[in-house]
Amino acid sequence: METTATIRGEIARYLQNHRMTINRFARISGINSGTLSNILNGNRPMSMHQLDRITEGMGLEEGHFYELYITESIFHTTPDWRRLRPFLVRCAELDKLDCLHKAARMTMENINYASMLFDLAEDLFNEEKYNAAALLYECVAECEKLQYSERLALCQYRLFLIRLGENQEENLQAAVYFEPYIDRLDEMYQLDAYVKLINLNISLQRWDKIETLAKRMGHQAKIHYQQNRDRFKECEYPRKPLIFYILYSYLMQADIYQERGDYDNAFYYVSLYEKPDWVINPSNEESLIMDQFNEWAEANRYMYGLMSGQPDVLYHYVDYVESRKDEIFLALCNIMITANRHHLDVDPILERFKEYLHYRSQQNQLGKVNDQLTVHRYTRFLAELGIYYLNAKQYDRGLSYILDSLKYSIRTKSDNGMLRCMGIFEQFRQYSSKETQKLYNEYIRDVQKLSVYAWSPQV
């Protein structure tokens, strides 16, 4: 029997050191003694199941021999998908991502493996094993990078979704990299991809990009609604009925005009999603969507009126959202922006909704609100609270909120947020306590670390 640095050699050495017969080890590992003998003599390849049983029988950590298995069963042989797939699955289960990546890359010279790697990546993605799935999507994308394929586009879409997180710099890179692939996606995925890109760009405040994406999404959704609406009814994608994407396009365009201070056009787009009478015989889900957009329309009419300089609308807005708990946080964000812009006293409102001043995930009738969007809004909300109290000469309270906003800006690597908070703090530094200045200096060191990292030469 071999005693070299192979799996068979390691097993043989174990048996020798423990003075153990094949029959005894067969009983311990649960593998037939004849099968075990053939494996040790090199007459039979080892399956993943057998490798795991042997590893357990030797009292070793799961996956102990995976590096050797790659060399013996994948690198020095023609990869056999019947052996390779279980190996990749086990690597994903044990989070041995280096082994998974190494084994997957060994198949890349044979493009026939791309479809099988992709199917496995989809399985892992659906099981929420995102890091493992990403490695396989990257391999498939590299294999097909010169092909104008839907599979390549779907790989890039999945990678975009996996890469989204709190880091705004990385989110921006992910968005910029994925966007050219969106038109290559199968049309069933495109509308959801547009929503994901739009929501991310809202958190990045890229309003021109949002406008472009919203118009393209609305155009495609209208075509599908007019020509293919029945085809999509039984499909898993898009996630929502087609009317959602049309109405969401109008909602985004209204918000864009509001951001530009063009309230006439903002109100026009509100009218488009407020009562879509072109929807005939709506299903229960479509009715729910229409009700939600109708609620948003009424809330936004109050909000746009408030922002355009109609302070008498404020308490109508507050009374409207009070019974709609899902809308309170967003309303508070808008109220604080308006209060600072038009010098309004909103102390009673803040007291009335004090339980909503803390960070929490947001929901509406249609599901969970995008995390990046919620964090962005909360970071801005903290800054607006800080400005409000500083203007009221409540300096300790105001600077505390500014530092909270700075902390979230650092956490998400939001350059705009960091610069804004630092500018405000420096403006009111003379009113800060020594403790507050000490905390601010700690945050500044964190900002400097981010800057040093960003400017480090890449080798």
Side-chain angles (χ1 to χ4, degrees):
M1 291 186 288
E2 293 186 33
T3 56
T4 56
T6 64
I7 297 173
R8 285 182 286 125
E10 291 297 313
I11 299 168
R13 187 175 294 110
Y14 175 84
L15 297 180
Q16 183 178 8
N17 291 342
H18 289 77
R19 297 181 180 180
M20 190 179 295
T21 64
I22 288 178
N23 286 336
R24 184 182 170 199
F25 187 67
R27 289 194 297 272
I28 292 171
S29 62
I31 299 173
N32 178 276
S33 59
T35 300
L36 187 58
S37 179
N38 283 328
I39 289 172
L40 289 172
N41 288 313
N43 298 325
R44 177 173 181 153
M46 195 184 314
S47 71
M48 274 304 303
H49 176 69
Q50 290 164 346
L51 177 61
D52 286 341
R53 296 296 294 271
I54 288 169
T55 304
E56 182 182 1
M58 294 171 67
L60 299 172
E61 180 185 1
E62 288 184 296
H64 177 82
F65 289 121
Y66 282 10
E67 287 281 356
L68 286 175
Y69 189 81
I70 292 172
T71 303
E72 295 174 28
S73 299
I74 300 173
F75 182 72
H76 288 303
T77 63
T78 302
D80 180 344
W81 187 247
R82 288 175 301 177
R83 287 203 307 273
L84 180 58
R85 188 186 191 282
F87 177 74
L88 296 175
V89 169
R90 282 295 286 152
C91 287
E93 290 172 351
L94 299 178
D95 205 31
K96 295 184 75 69
L97 300 185
D98 288 346
C99 290
L100 180 143
H101 193 215
K102 186 175 180 181
R105 291 192 66 82
M106 287 179 181
T107 70
M108 290 174 56
E109 291 183 6
N110 187 343
I111 198 163
N112 293 325
Y113 279 97
S115 62
M116 292 180 280
L117 288 174
F118 175 78
D119 290 341
L120 177 55
E122 288 284 271
D123 290 341
L124 295 174
F125 182 86
N126 291 328
E127 293 168 10
E128 299 184 3
K129 295 183 174 69
Y130 297 124
N131 291 332
L135 294 174
L136 298 185
Y137 285 129
E138 287 169 357
C139 287
V140 176
E142 190 170 337
C143 282
E144 302 200 340
K145 62 185 177 183
L146 300 180
Q147 302 184 46
Y148 197 86
S149 71
E150 289 179 357
R151 186 160 60 206
L152 171 62
L154 187 52
C155 283
Q156 296 297 351
Y157 178 44
R158 298 297 197 210
L159 287 168
F160 166 68
L161 295 177
I162 291 168
R163 288 165 179 163
L164 293 182
E166 288 188 344
N167 188 319
Q168 294 287 49
E169 290 178 2
E170 292 176 1
N171 288 343
L172 175 58
Q173 291 174 3
V176 169
Y177 194 82
F178 165 64
E179 191 182 335
Y181 293 95
I182 195 168
D183 290 330
R184 301 191 206 176
L185 277 174
D186 185 294
E187 59 188 15
M188 66 188 289
Y189 293 106
Q190 282 185 4
L191 295 175
D192 289 315
Y194 274 117
V195 171
K196 296 289 187 183
L197 267 178
I198 288 168
N199 288 341
L200 178 59
N201 278 290
I202 293 172
S203 70
L204 297 169
Q205 299 290 279
R206 300 174 76 210
W207 293 105
D208 289 344
K209 180 61 65 179
I210 295 164
E211 182 176 27
T212 300
L213 293 169
K215 286 180 177 178
R216 284 163 58 186
M217 178 182 69
H219 177 71
Q220 289 204 20
K222 287 175 190 175
I223 291 173
H224 291 317
Y225 187 77
Q226 292 164 2
Q227 300 177 2
N228 307 317
R229 76 182 77 167
D230 293 333
R231 174 188 163 198
F232 287 105
K233 283 183 179 177
E234 303 303 321
C235 294
E236 182 182 1
Y237 294 93
R239 293 292 193 186
K240 293 183 172 64
L242 292 169
I243 67 164
F244 168 83
Y245 304 95
I246 299 171
L247 300 180
Y248 196 62
S249 171
Y250 295 147
L251 175 67
M252 287 298 99
Q253 290 177 77
D255 280 353
I256 289 161
Y257 280 111
Q258 181 271 132
E259 283 290 324
R260 294 172 179 167
D262 184 347
Y263 294 101
D264 288 340
N265 271 314
F267 282 118
Y268 167 72
Y269 277 102
V270 169
S271 71
L272 294 184
Y273 66 79
E274 186 171 25
K275 293 179 180 177
D277 53 11
W278 43 268
V279 181
I280 301 169
N281 297 323
S283 66
N284 290 337
E285 190 175 4
E286 287 174 329
S287 295
L288 180 65
I289 288 169
M290 293 165 65
D291 288 344
Q292 177 65 89
F293 276 92
N294 183 262
E295 276 194 13
W296 284 337
E298 188 165 354
N300 285 342
R301 284 190 180 281
Y302 288 128
M303 190 257 286
Y304 294 165
L306 186 61
M307 289 190 166
S308 64
Q310 303 172 35
D312 55 311
V313 174
L314 176 60
Y315 282 92
H316 294 293
Y317 185 24
V318 170
D319 291 340
Y320 180 75
V321 299
E322 185 170 27
S323 61
R324 296 164 174 82
K325 292 186 177 181
D326 292 341
E327 304 301 322
I328 291 174
F329 170 69
L330 179 57
L332 286 174
C333 294
N334 295 326
I335 287 168
M336 292 315 303
I337 293 170
T338 307
N340 290 332
R341 185 180 296 174
H342 297 291
H343 307 291
L344 303 178
D345 178 3
V346 294
D347 283 353
I349 296 171
L350 292 174
E351 177 61 27
R352 188 169 168 182
F353 296 115
K354 59 185 176 183
E355 64 183 287
Y356 292 89
L357 304 185
H358 306 288
Y359 181 82
R360 65 176 74 179
S361 294
Q362 299 298 310
Q363 293 274 139
N364 56 48
Q365 291 186 56
L366 306 183
K368 186 173 182 291
V369 176
N370 174 277
D371 286 334
Q372 289 81 28
L373 192 52
T374 299
V375 172
H376 162 72
R377 284 172 175 165
Y378 187 66
T379 304
R380 174 75 184 272
F381 177 59
L382 291 171
E384 296 294 341
L385 278 172
I387 293 167
Y388 177 77
Y389 286 116
L390 289 171
N391 287 337
K393 298 184 179 180
Q394 297 183 41
Y395 299 118
D396 288 342
R397 197 172 189 180
L399 289 172
S400 176
Y401 279 119
I402 294 299
L403 290 184
D404 285 344
S405 182
L406 178 57
K407 179 175 68 175
Y408 271 89
S409 299
I410 294 167
R411 175 172 140 185
T412 60
K413 294 189 178 180
S414 169
D415 290 341
N416 288 339
M418 287 186 280
L419 288 171
R420 186 181 198 207
C421 291
M422 289 189 292
I424 294 169
F425 188 92
E426 292 299 340
Q427 183 181 350
F428 290 90
R429 175 187 279 273
Q430 59 183 312
Y431 302 107
S432 61
S433 67
K434 288 184 178 180
E435 264 188 37
T436 301
Q437 289 184 26
K438 182 181 177 182
L439 182 56
Y440 174 70
N441 290 334
E442 289 176 7
Y443 288 152
I444 290 300
R445 282 192 287 273
D446 291 336
V447 172
Q448 289 170 336
K449 288 176 186 176
L450 293 178
S451 301
V452 169
Y453 177 79
W455 285 98
S456 295
Q458 301 299 306
V459 179

